[in-house]
mmCIF file of all heavy atoms in Angstrom:
data_model
loop_
_atom_site.group_PDB
_atom_site.id
_atom_site.type_symbol
_atom_site.label_atom_id
_atom_site.label_comp_id
_atom_site.label_asym_id
_atom_site.label_seq_id
_atom_site.Cartn_x
_atom_site.Cartn_y
_atom_site.Cartn_z
ATOM 1 N N THR Y 1814 -39.195 17.644 25.862
ATOM 2 C CA THR Y 1814 -38.646 16.338 25.507
ATOM 3 C C THR Y 1814 -39.299 15.755 24.267
ATOM 4 O O THR Y 1814 -40.465 16.017 23.984
ATOM 5 C CB THR Y 1814 -38.788 15.359 26.699
ATOM 6 O OG1 THR Y 1814 -38.489 14.048 26.251
ATOM 7 C CG2 THR Y 1814 -40.179 15.366 27.275
ATOM 8 N N ASP Y 1815 -38.522 14.958 23.555
ATOM 9 C CA ASP Y 1815 -39.063 14.166 22.451
ATOM 10 C C ASP Y 1815 -39.949 13.099 23.048
ATOM 11 O O ASP Y 1815 -39.856 12.807 24.231
ATOM 12 C CB ASP Y 1815 -37.924 13.422 21.740
ATOM 13 C CG ASP Y 1815 -37.065 14.339 20.924
ATOM 14 O OD1 ASP Y 1815 -37.439 15.497 20.792
ATOM 15 O OD2 ASP Y 1815 -36.024 13.875 20.429
ATOM 16 N N LYS Y 1816 -40.726 12.489 22.202
ATOM 17 C CA LYS Y 1816 -41.578 11.412 22.710
ATOM 18 C C LYS Y 1816 -40.945 10.042 22.480
ATOM 19 O O LYS Y 1816 -40.639 9.312 23.420
ATOM 20 C CB LYS Y 1816 -42.952 11.464 22.023
ATOM 21 C CG LYS Y 1816 -43.836 10.288 22.351
ATOM 22 C CD LYS Y 1816 -45.179 10.416 21.686
ATOM 23 C CE LYS Y 1816 -45.145 10.194 20.190
ATOM 24 N NZ LYS Y 1816 -44.865 8.817 19.765
ATOM 25 N N THR Y 1817 -40.724 9.751 21.189
ATOM 26 C CA THR Y 1817 -40.390 8.383 20.841
ATOM 27 C C THR Y 1817 -39.035 7.970 21.396
ATOM 28 O O THR Y 1817 -38.022 8.587 21.090
ATOM 29 C CB THR Y 1817 -40.425 8.220 19.315
ATOM 30 O OG1 THR Y 1817 -41.659 8.737 18.874
ATOM 31 C CG2 THR Y 1817 -40.288 6.776 18.910
ATOM 32 N N GLY Y 1818 -39.039 6.947 22.207
ATOM 33 C CA GLY Y 1818 -37.787 6.423 22.739
ATOM 34 C C GLY Y 1818 -37.350 7.110 24.013
ATOM 35 O O GLY Y 1818 -36.551 6.578 24.767
ATOM 36 N N ASP Y 1892 -34.170 1.673 12.499
ATOM 37 C CA ASP Y 1892 -35.280 2.382 13.125
ATOM 38 C C ASP Y 1892 -36.339 1.389 13.637
ATOM 39 O O ASP Y 1892 -36.842 0.564 12.875
ATOM 40 C CB ASP Y 1892 -35.865 3.302 12.031
ATOM 41 C CG ASP Y 1892 -37.018 4.127 12.521
ATOM 42 O OD1 ASP Y 1892 -37.482 3.893 13.644
ATOM 43 O OD2 ASP Y 1892 -37.463 5.010 11.753
ATOM 44 N N THR Y 1894 -39.432 1.777 14.218
ATOM 45 C CA THR Y 1894 -40.687 1.876 13.453
ATOM 46 C C THR Y 1894 -40.608 0.931 12.255
ATOM 47 O O THR Y 1894 -41.556 0.213 11.933
ATOM 48 C CB THR Y 1894 -40.881 3.325 12.938
ATOM 49 O OG1 THR Y 1894 -40.778 4.199 14.048
ATOM 50 C CG2 THR Y 1894 -42.207 3.505 12.254
ATOM 51 N N GLU Y 1895 -39.458 0.927 11.624
ATOM 52 C CA GLU Y 1895 -39.296 0.067 10.452
ATOM 53 C C GLU Y 1895 -39.215 -1.397 10.869
ATOM 54 O O GLU Y 1895 -39.691 -2.280 10.158
ATOM 55 C CB GLU Y 1895 -38.052 0.492 9.662
ATOM 56 C CG GLU Y 1895 -38.159 1.964 9.272
ATOM 57 C CD GLU Y 1895 -37.301 2.353 8.094
ATOM 58 O OE1 GLU Y 1895 -36.246 1.718 7.911
ATOM 59 O OE2 GLU Y 1895 -37.691 3.284 7.372
ATOM 60 N N PHE Y 1924 -35.796 8.647 5.217
ATOM 61 C CA PHE Y 1924 -36.720 9.377 6.081
ATOM 62 C C PHE Y 1924 -36.001 10.542 6.747
ATOM 63 O O PHE Y 1924 -34.885 10.389 7.226
ATOM 64 C CB PHE Y 1924 -37.284 8.434 7.147
ATOM 65 C CG PHE Y 1924 -38.133 9.158 8.147
ATOM 66 C CD1 PHE Y 1924 -39.426 9.524 7.827
ATOM 67 C CD2 PHE Y 1924 -37.641 9.488 9.401
ATOM 68 C CE1 PHE Y 1924 -40.218 10.221 8.731
ATOM 69 C CE2 PHE Y 1924 -38.425 10.185 10.311
ATOM 70 C CZ PHE Y 1924 -39.712 10.552 9.974
ATOM 71 N N SER Y 1926 -37.094 13.939 9.463
ATOM 72 C CA SER Y 1926 -38.246 14.511 10.184
ATOM 73 C C SER Y 1926 -38.857 15.685 9.436
ATOM 74 O O SER Y 1926 -40.025 15.993 9.623
ATOM 75 C CB SER Y 1926 -37.849 14.996 11.566
ATOM 76 O OG SER Y 1926 -36.951 14.132 12.133
ATOM 77 N N ARG Y 1929 -40.965 13.895 6.554
ATOM 78 C CA ARG Y 1929 -41.814 12.862 7.165
ATOM 79 C C ARG Y 1929 -42.261 11.754 6.216
ATOM 80 O O ARG Y 1929 -43.370 11.263 6.308
ATOM 81 C CB ARG Y 1929 -43.077 13.481 7.791
ATOM 82 C CG ARG Y 1929 -42.775 14.300 8.986
ATOM 83 C CD ARG Y 1929 -43.923 14.412 9.934
ATOM 84 N NE ARG Y 1929 -43.546 15.383 10.932
ATOM 85 C CZ ARG Y 1929 -43.830 16.674 10.838
ATOM 86 N NH1 ARG Y 1929 -44.564 17.127 9.857
ATOM 87 N NH2 ARG Y 1929 -43.398 17.500 11.762
ATOM 88 N N PHE Y 1930 -41.441 11.393 5.279
ATOM 89 C CA PHE Y 1930 -41.740 10.195 4.496
ATOM 90 C C PHE Y 1930 -40.444 9.545 4.061
ATOM 91 O O PHE Y 1930 -39.369 10.148 4.148
ATOM 92 C CB PHE Y 1930 -42.612 10.533 3.266
ATOM 93 C CG PHE Y 1930 -41.910 11.371 2.232
ATOM 94 C CD1 PHE Y 1930 -40.954 10.822 1.376
ATOM 95 C CD2 PHE Y 1930 -42.185 12.727 2.106
ATOM 96 C CE1 PHE Y 1930 -40.290 11.601 0.436
ATOM 97 C CE2 PHE Y 1930 -41.537 13.512 1.166
ATOM 98 C CZ PHE Y 1930 -40.583 12.942 0.333
ATOM 99 N N MET Y 1931 -40.581 8.307 3.623
ATOM 100 C CA MET Y 1931 -39.439 7.629 3.011
ATOM 101 C C MET Y 1931 -39.963 7.032 1.707
ATOM 102 O O MET Y 1931 -41.103 6.570 1.649
ATOM 103 C CB MET Y 1931 -38.943 6.518 3.925
ATOM 104 C CG MET Y 1931 -37.984 5.577 3.235
ATOM 105 S SD MET Y 1931 -37.429 4.267 4.333
ATOM 106 C CE MET Y 1931 -36.423 3.329 3.196
ATOM 107 N N LYS Y 1946 -43.823 5.583 2.246
ATOM 108 C CA LYS Y 1946 -44.481 5.465 3.550
ATOM 109 C C LYS Y 1946 -44.148 6.699 4.375
ATOM 110 O O LYS Y 1946 -43.075 7.305 4.203
ATOM 111 C CB LYS Y 1946 -44.052 4.183 4.269
ATOM 112 C CG LYS Y 1946 -42.652 4.180 4.828
ATOM 113 C CD LYS Y 1946 -42.448 2.887 5.585
ATOM 114 C CE LYS Y 1946 -41.282 2.881 6.533
ATOM 115 N NZ LYS Y 1946 -39.991 3.299 6.030
ATOM 116 N N GLY Y 1947 -45.061 7.070 5.235
ATOM 117 C CA GLY Y 1947 -44.799 8.261 6.050
ATOM 118 C C GLY Y 1947 -46.019 8.698 6.822
ATOM 119 O O GLY Y 1947 -47.001 7.953 6.932
ATOM 120 N N ALA Y 1948 -45.950 9.922 7.347
ATOM 121 C CA ALA Y 1948 -47.052 10.452 8.144
ATOM 122 C C ALA Y 1948 -48.299 10.565 7.264
ATOM 123 O O ALA Y 1948 -48.207 11.068 6.142
ATOM 124 C CB ALA Y 1948 -46.670 11.809 8.696
ATOM 125 N N PRO Y 1949 -49.468 10.109 7.737
ATOM 126 C CA PRO Y 1949 -50.664 10.060 6.893
ATOM 127 C C PRO Y 1949 -51.011 11.394 6.232
ATOM 128 O O PRO Y 1949 -51.314 11.423 5.038
ATOM 129 C CB PRO Y 1949 -51.767 9.649 7.863
ATOM 130 C CG PRO Y 1949 -51.066 8.928 8.939
ATOM 131 C CD PRO Y 1949 -49.711 9.511 9.045
ATOM 132 N N ARG Y 1986 -49.118 5.067 16.936
ATOM 133 C CA ARG Y 1986 -48.315 5.863 16.008
ATOM 134 C C ARG Y 1986 -48.765 5.472 14.613
ATOM 135 O O ARG Y 1986 -48.924 4.291 14.302
ATOM 136 C CB ARG Y 1986 -46.883 5.435 16.256
ATOM 137 C CG ARG Y 1986 -45.825 6.138 15.538
ATOM 138 C CD ARG Y 1986 -44.529 5.565 16.102
ATOM 139 N NE ARG Y 1986 -43.382 5.946 15.331
ATOM 140 C CZ ARG Y 1986 -42.815 7.135 15.413
ATOM 141 N NH1 ARG Y 1986 -43.311 8.044 16.231
ATOM 142 N NH2 ARG Y 1986 -41.745 7.407 14.698
ATOM 143 N N LEU Y 1987 -48.955 6.472 13.757
ATOM 144 C CA LEU Y 1987 -49.569 6.199 12.457
ATOM 145 C C LEU Y 1987 -48.597 6.319 11.306
ATOM 146 O O LEU Y 1987 -47.750 7.202 11.285
ATOM 147 C CB LEU Y 1987 -50.661 7.234 12.208
ATOM 148 C CG LEU Y 1987 -52.026 6.960 12.796
ATOM 149 C CD1 LEU Y 1987 -52.920 8.140 12.495
ATOM 150 C CD2 LEU Y 1987 -52.615 5.697 12.183
ATOM 151 N N LEU Y 1988 -48.804 5.450 10.347
ATOM 152 C CA LEU Y 1988 -48.015 5.514 9.130
ATOM 153 C C LEU Y 1988 -48.940 5.185 7.965
ATOM 154 O O LEU Y 1988 -49.762 4.261 8.074
ATOM 155 C CB LEU Y 1988 -46.921 4.448 9.193
ATOM 156 C CG LEU Y 1988 -45.494 4.892 8.947
ATOM 157 C CD1 LEU Y 1988 -45.021 5.702 10.128
ATOM 158 C CD2 LEU Y 1988 -44.605 3.676 8.802
ATOM 159 N N ALA Y 1989 -48.816 5.929 6.889
ATOM 160 C CA ALA Y 1989 -49.591 5.581 5.697
ATOM 161 C C ALA Y 1989 -48.625 5.000 4.676
ATOM 162 O O ALA Y 1989 -47.447 5.367 4.646
ATOM 163 C CB ALA Y 1989 -50.256 6.827 5.142
ATOM 164 N N ILE Y 2045 -42.460 17.551 22.749
ATOM 165 C CA ILE Y 2045 -42.436 18.090 21.381
ATOM 166 C C ILE Y 2045 -42.157 16.911 20.451
ATOM 167 O O ILE Y 2045 -41.065 16.366 20.458
ATOM 168 C CB ILE Y 2045 -41.342 19.159 21.213
ATOM 169 C CG1 ILE Y 2045 -41.518 20.250 22.271
ATOM 170 C CG2 ILE Y 2045 -41.385 19.755 19.820
ATOM 171 C CD1 ILE Y 2045 -40.515 21.369 22.191
ATOM 172 N N THR Y 2046 -43.156 16.532 19.706
ATOM 173 C CA THR Y 2046 -42.999 15.297 18.940
ATOM 174 C C THR Y 2046 -43.346 15.503 17.474
ATOM 175 O O THR Y 2046 -44.104 16.406 17.118
ATOM 176 C CB THR Y 2046 -43.886 14.179 19.543
ATOM 177 O OG1 THR Y 2046 -43.826 13.045 18.701
ATOM 178 C CG2 THR Y 2046 -45.329 14.624 19.681
ATOM 179 N N GLY Y 2047 -42.785 14.636 16.666
ATOM 180 C CA GLY Y 2047 -43.114 14.669 15.244
ATOM 181 C C GLY Y 2047 -44.376 13.879 14.969
ATOM 182 O O GLY Y 2047 -44.870 13.842 13.840
ATOM 183 N N ASP Y 2048 -44.912 13.241 15.990
ATOM 184 C CA ASP Y 2048 -46.039 12.338 15.797
ATOM 185 C C ASP Y 2048 -47.356 13.090 15.621
ATOM 186 O O ASP Y 2048 -47.448 14.289 15.847
ATOM 187 C CB ASP Y 2048 -46.125 11.389 17.015
ATOM 188 C CG ASP Y 2048 -46.393 9.975 16.560
ATOM 189 O OD1 ASP Y 2048 -47.033 9.821 15.505
ATOM 190 O OD2 ASP Y 2048 -45.988 9.036 17.259
ATOM 191 N N HIS Y 2049 -48.390 12.339 15.265
ATOM 192 C CA HIS Y 2049 -49.738 12.842 15.044
ATOM 193 C C HIS Y 2049 -50.295 13.476 16.319
ATOM 194 O O HIS Y 2049 -50.033 12.999 17.420
ATOM 195 C CB HIS Y 2049 -50.598 11.638 14.649
ATOM 196 C CG HIS Y 2049 -51.929 11.988 14.105
ATOM 197 N ND1 HIS Y 2049 -52.973 12.342 14.914
ATOM 198 C CD2 HIS Y 2049 -52.398 12.033 12.833
ATOM 199 C CE1 HIS Y 2049 -54.030 12.587 14.157
ATOM 200 N NE2 HIS Y 2049 -53.701 12.400 12.887
ATOM 201 N N ARG Y 2094 -46.552 17.003 15.541
ATOM 202 C CA ARG Y 2094 -46.129 17.256 14.163
ATOM 203 C C ARG Y 2094 -45.173 18.451 14.105
ATOM 204 O O ARG Y 2094 -45.267 19.303 13.218
ATOM 205 C CB ARG Y 2094 -47.347 17.513 13.267
ATOM 206 C CG ARG Y 2094 -48.188 16.269 13.025
ATOM 207 C CD ARG Y 2094 -47.472 15.253 12.159
ATOM 208 N NE ARG Y 2094 -48.336 14.153 11.764
ATOM 209 C CZ ARG Y 2094 -48.016 12.873 11.926
ATOM 210 N NH1 ARG Y 2094 -46.872 12.510 12.491
ATOM 211 N NH2 ARG Y 2094 -48.819 11.930 11.502
ATOM 212 N N ALA Y 2095 -44.297 18.498 15.068
ATOM 213 C CA ALA Y 2095 -43.368 19.626 15.132
ATOM 214 C C ALA Y 2095 -42.062 19.234 14.470
ATOM 215 O O ALA Y 2095 -41.620 18.088 14.567
ATOM 216 C CB ALA Y 2095 -43.129 20.009 16.576
ATOM 217 N N LYS Y 2100 -38.871 23.579 17.117
ATOM 218 C CA LYS Y 2100 -38.220 23.430 18.419
ATOM 219 C C LYS Y 2100 -37.454 24.696 18.769
ATOM 220 O O LYS Y 2100 -37.511 25.192 19.882
ATOM 221 C CB LYS Y 2100 -37.236 22.259 18.399
ATOM 222 C CG LYS Y 2100 -37.870 20.908 18.530
ATOM 223 C CD LYS Y 2100 -36.784 19.868 18.723
ATOM 224 C CE LYS Y 2100 -37.347 18.516 19.059
ATOM 225 N NZ LYS Y 2100 -36.322 17.509 19.227
ATOM 226 N N ASP Y 2119 -32.312 14.768 18.719
ATOM 227 C CA ASP Y 2119 -31.467 13.694 18.205
ATOM 228 C C ASP Y 2119 -30.963 13.944 16.791
ATOM 229 O O ASP Y 2119 -29.883 13.530 16.436
ATOM 230 C CB ASP Y 2119 -32.193 12.344 18.285
ATOM 231 C CG ASP Y 2119 -33.609 12.422 17.751
ATOM 232 O OD1 ASP Y 2119 -33.891 13.341 16.974
ATOM 233 O OD2 ASP Y 2119 -34.427 11.562 18.107
ATOM 234 N N LYS Y 2139 -29.980 6.980 19.951
ATOM 235 C CA LYS Y 2139 -30.485 7.236 18.608
ATOM 236 C C LYS Y 2139 -30.069 8.605 18.076
ATOM 237 O O LYS Y 2139 -30.409 8.962 16.963
ATOM 238 C CB LYS Y 2139 -31.998 7.039 18.557
ATOM 239 C CG LYS Y 2139 -32.815 8.090 19.267
ATOM 240 C CD LYS Y 2139 -34.291 7.933 18.924
ATOM 241 C CE LYS Y 2139 -35.070 9.124 19.455
ATOM 242 N NZ LYS Y 2139 -36.443 9.174 19.122
HETATM 243 P P1 LIG C 3321 -40.221 12.320 18.504
HETATM 244 O O1 LIG C 3321 -39.802 13.611 17.910
HETATM 245 O O2 LIG C 3321 -41.007 12.455 19.725
HETATM 246 O O3 LIG C 3321 -39.142 11.307 18.631
HETATM 247 P P2 LIG C 3321 -41.343 10.869 16.363
HETATM 248 O O4 LIG C 3321 -40.226 9.904 16.422
HETATM 249 O O5 LIG C 3321 -42.692 10.321 16.322
HETATM 250 O O6 LIG C 3321 -41.354 11.845 17.543
HETATM 251 P P3 LIG C 3321 -40.515 11.586 13.781
HETATM 252 O O7 LIG C 3321 -39.471 10.556 13.838
HETATM 253 O O8 LIG C 3321 -40.215 12.923 13.210
HETATM 254 O O9 LIG C 3321 -41.117 11.867 15.172
HETATM 255 O O10 LIG C 3321 -41.732 10.943 13.003
HETATM 256 C C1 LIG C 3321 -42.841 11.701 12.586
HETATM 257 C C2 LIG C 3321 -43.769 10.863 11.761
HETATM 258 O O11 LIG C 3321 -43.093 10.411 10.599
HETATM 259 C C3 LIG C 3321 -44.269 9.606 12.461
HETATM 260 O O12 LIG C 3321 -45.435 9.856 13.170
HETATM 261 C C4 LIG C 3321 -44.515 8.676 11.308
HETATM 262 O O13 LIG C 3321 -45.787 8.886 10.758
HETATM 263 C C5 LIG C 3321 -43.490 9.094 10.290
HETATM 264 N N1 LIG C 3321 -42.312 8.212 10.335
HETATM 265 C C6 LIG C 3321 -41.542 7.920 11.387
HETATM 266 N N2 LIG C 3321 -40.555 7.097 11.059
HETATM 267 C C7 LIG C 3321 -40.679 6.852 9.742
HETATM 268 C C8 LIG C 3321 -39.946 6.088 8.795
HETATM 269 N N3 LIG C 3321 -38.868 5.400 9.125
HETATM 270 N N4 LIG C 3321 -40.382 6.064 7.524
HETATM 271 C C9 LIG C 3321 -41.464 6.769 7.161
HETATM 272 N N5 LIG C 3321 -42.185 7.512 7.997
HETATM 273 C C10 LIG C 3321 -41.817 7.565 9.277
#
Side-chain angles (χ1 to χ4, degrees):
T1814 169
D1815 287 352
K1816 173 178 72 69
T1817 309
D1892 181 352
T1894 307
E1895 303 202 331
F1924 174 78
S1926 321
R1929 291 205 188 92
F1930 67 76
M1931 167 181 177
K1946 73 176 197 309
R1986 185 175 168 78
L1987 275 177
L1988 232 71
I2045 306 181
T2046 174
D2048 223 331
H2049 192 281
R2094 290 291 188 232
K2100 281 189 172 179
D2119 47 22
K2139 71 169 189 175

